[in-house]
Structures are given as structure tokens and as C-alpha cells.
Amino acid sequence: MTQQRDFQRNFFLRNFNALKITFFPESWSLAIEESFYLLFPAFPSAGIMHGRSLQRCSCRPRLDFLLFPTIGRMIEAPHAYAHWPDWQRELVILRFDALMIGVFAAWISVNYPRAWYRGHWFVGALGVTILFAMYASLWWITDHHLEWSADSYFARTFRFNLVSLGFAMLLPIASSWQLARETFASTAVRRIALWSYALYLVHFPFFQVVAKYTPARWTSSFAQSIAVTCLQFAAVIGISALLYRYYESRCTHLRERVAPVVARVLRRT
């Protein structure tokens, strides 16, 4: 049993078709990405090895990775255990469509650039509208009080598609944005983007430690709670910047030096 858990942990399989995450729980999204990056190219590669064209053997996987997770969520949704925040949302085989929508967006931008940039402000505004509606649907008003909404069939199935679509519709604006000169805002955005992976790794464990060891008197008022929260965000950003500077960036630079050598060796073999 221990060896099985170690295997699942080492290969990001703890939430492939069931939730078994007891350590590093935020890795659920990393597992989805890693599985998608490995499995999606495998299907066209297998077709190419059997003499089929890339266009022909990549069309079917695109549809499969888009439709099957949605169908899977629809099948799972009626079950009592399939709560959308901690089952439908975090299961690998039920979330491939989120990345597949990004793949379709990239395909459109490469093959139909004129359509991609035409009306990008309208498309972006529509995407913002969809996102606002989806996140607003997480709440409802009961007896004049705003409350977190309960599970629903829609939340367990199609809300995921629409959230991914909403963000994808913002990409034409992002890709058409040209920076005339460096500003404080652009520098902040660029830095946060560079530190984003470290932020992903650090934020949840850090917040858990702070929540456990912060004295209650420090958050006894709304102003104090806001101050502690701001300090948490500042500390997480600082730690992430250090991780990027002294670890992640050095690994990236090493990859840039090693990758060409490995490519030359593979070509010779």
C-alpha cells in the first residue's frame, strides 16, 4: 500500500480518477496539466507512427479531450459524492477539456489570425460577461443575505466549460497588447508572471501555517484581518521571488544550455 501511494505521488496520479491527496493538496491542478501534456501528444504520435497525417490523427484526440470530460461530469453529477469544489473540479479525467479549450484557442490564433484579432474587444467583453455570470452564480441571496450557493447540476457540469471559455475569450486582447514603454504596472505584471509558479507552490502551505499560529487577537477586528491578509500576500510574493531568483531561474538557464546538447545527441542516434 505504501509503495502504491508513493507511485501515485511521484507520478501525479493521486487524483487521476479518485481523490487521494493528503499531502500538497494544491497539486491537483498540476496533476491535470502534467497528464494532459503527456497523454494528448501521445495519440497523434501513435497515428503518425502508423503512417497517418498529423492533421488527420490529431483531429480525433482534440474532440475526445474536449467532449469526454464533459460527458464524464454529466455522468458523475447526480451522485452525492460529486461535489463540484472537491470532486468534479479536481479529478484529472474530468478536467482535460479546460486545457483543450486553450489548445483550440491557440489553433485559431495560428490558422485564422485575422478572425482572431477582428473584434477582439467585443470578444473580450463577452468573455468578461461570461466570467462575471459564472462567478456570480457561486452565490445567491437568501432572506436578504448573500450566501455561498449549494451544489447544482450546472455547477458540476457546464460551469467548468463556460469559465474556461470566458478566459479563452480574453486571449485575443492579451495577444494584441503591445507595450510602448516599461511602466510600474507592466513591470509588476511581468514579475508576478515570472513568480507565478512559485506562488502556486507557496501560497497554500504558507496560509495554513499563518492561520494555525496567528494569535486570535491579531484578527479581532476587520482592519486587523485586512492587515494580516495583506502581510500574508506580501510575504508569499517575497518568498516566491526568492525561489524564482535562486532556484527556478537557475534551473531554466541550465535547461537552455543542456537542451541543445541533448537534441544533438538524439539526432545522431
Side-chain angles (χ1 to χ4, degrees):
M1 185 62 70
T2 302
Q3 292 179 344
Q4 181 181 1
R5 287 198 298 267
D6 291 341
F7 177 82
Q8 292 175 339
R9 184 184 302 115
N10 293 335
F11 290 93
F12 297 100
L13 298 175
R14 293 176 299 165
N15 60 319
F16 190 81
N17 61 348
L19 287 179
K20 302 175 183 177
I21 302 179
T22 56
F23 173 75
F24 193 25
E26 62 271 31
S27 64
W28 66 267
S29 59
L30 184 60
I32 295 171
E33 293 181 36
E34 296 294 341
S35 297
F36 181 86
Y37 298 150
L38 290 173
L39 293 177
F40 177 68
F43 290 93
S45 299
I48 292 173
M49 292 176 62
H50 286 82
R52 299 177 183 176
S53 65
L54 176 62
Q55 184 68 23
R56 180 181 177 184
C57 60
S58 62
C59 182
R60 176 66 182 274
R62 293 175 192 170
L63 296 177
D64 290 345
F65 276 76
L66 181 66
L67 296 178
F68 283 2
T70 303
I71 296 172
R73 290 196 300 269
M74 294 170 63
I75 295 172
E76 289 281 287
H79 298 290
Y81 59 79
H83 301 292
W84 77 263
D86 52 10
W87 183 266
Q88 307 283 73
R89 182 173 69 106
E90 299 182 1
L91 225 58
V92 170
I93 59 175
L94 300 182
R95 295 304 311 277
F96 283 147
D97 56 319
L99 287 89
M100 198 65 242
I101 289 176
V103 172
F104 273 113
W107 180 80
I108 294 172
S109 69
V110 171
N111 292 277
Y112 302 97
R114 294 183 61 184
W116 176 258
Y117 291 106
R118 185 186 300 123
H120 58 279
W121 287 110
F122 173 77
V123 173
L126 185 58
V128 170
T129 303
I130 292 174
L131 291 173
F132 178 82
M134 292 304 101
Y135 285 107
S137 68
L138 296 174
W139 304 85
W140 60 10
I141 298 177
T142 304
D143 296 330
H144 305 288
H145 294 287
L146 190 64
E147 297 180 356
W148 181 260
S149 66
D151 258 343
S152 66
Y153 185 84
F154 175 74
R156 297 182 179 191
T157 53
F158 303 115
R159 179 191 282 161
F160 294 104
N161 303 86
L162 291 171
V163 169
S164 300
L165 179 63
F167 279 110
M169 295 174 76
L170 302 179
L171 294 177
I173 293 179
S175 59
S176 62
W177 179 37
Q178 296 181 353
L179 184 65
R181 61 184 180 86
E182 189 76 18
T183 63
F184 175 80
S186 63
T187 301
V189 170
R190 180 166 54 82
R191 291 292 182 181
I192 293 297
L194 289 173
W195 304 334
S196 60
Y197 184 67
L199 282 167
Y200 162 78
L201 298 176
V202 168
H203 77 282
F204 189 67
F206 186 84
F207 288 168
Q208 284 184 312
V209 171
V210 171
K212 182 176 181 179
Y213 293 104
T214 299
R217 65 179 183 276
W218 288 12
T219 56
S220 56
S221 69
F222 178 76
Q224 288 175 317
S225 299
I226 293 296
V228 169
T229 301
C230 291
L231 289 174
Q232 288 184 76
F233 278 108
V236 167
I237 291 174
I239 294 171
S240 302
L242 291 174
L243 282 174
Y244 177 81
R245 173 66 178 82
Y246 293 104
Y247 180 74
E248 187 179 345
S249 63
R250 296 187 179 185
C251 292
T252 303
H253 294 156
L254 179 63
R255 180 192 65 190
E256 297 302 325
R257 294 197 299 269
V258 172
V261 177
V262 174
R264 287 196 297 269
V265 172
L266 292 177
R267 282 197 296 266
R268 290 173 184 174
T269 58

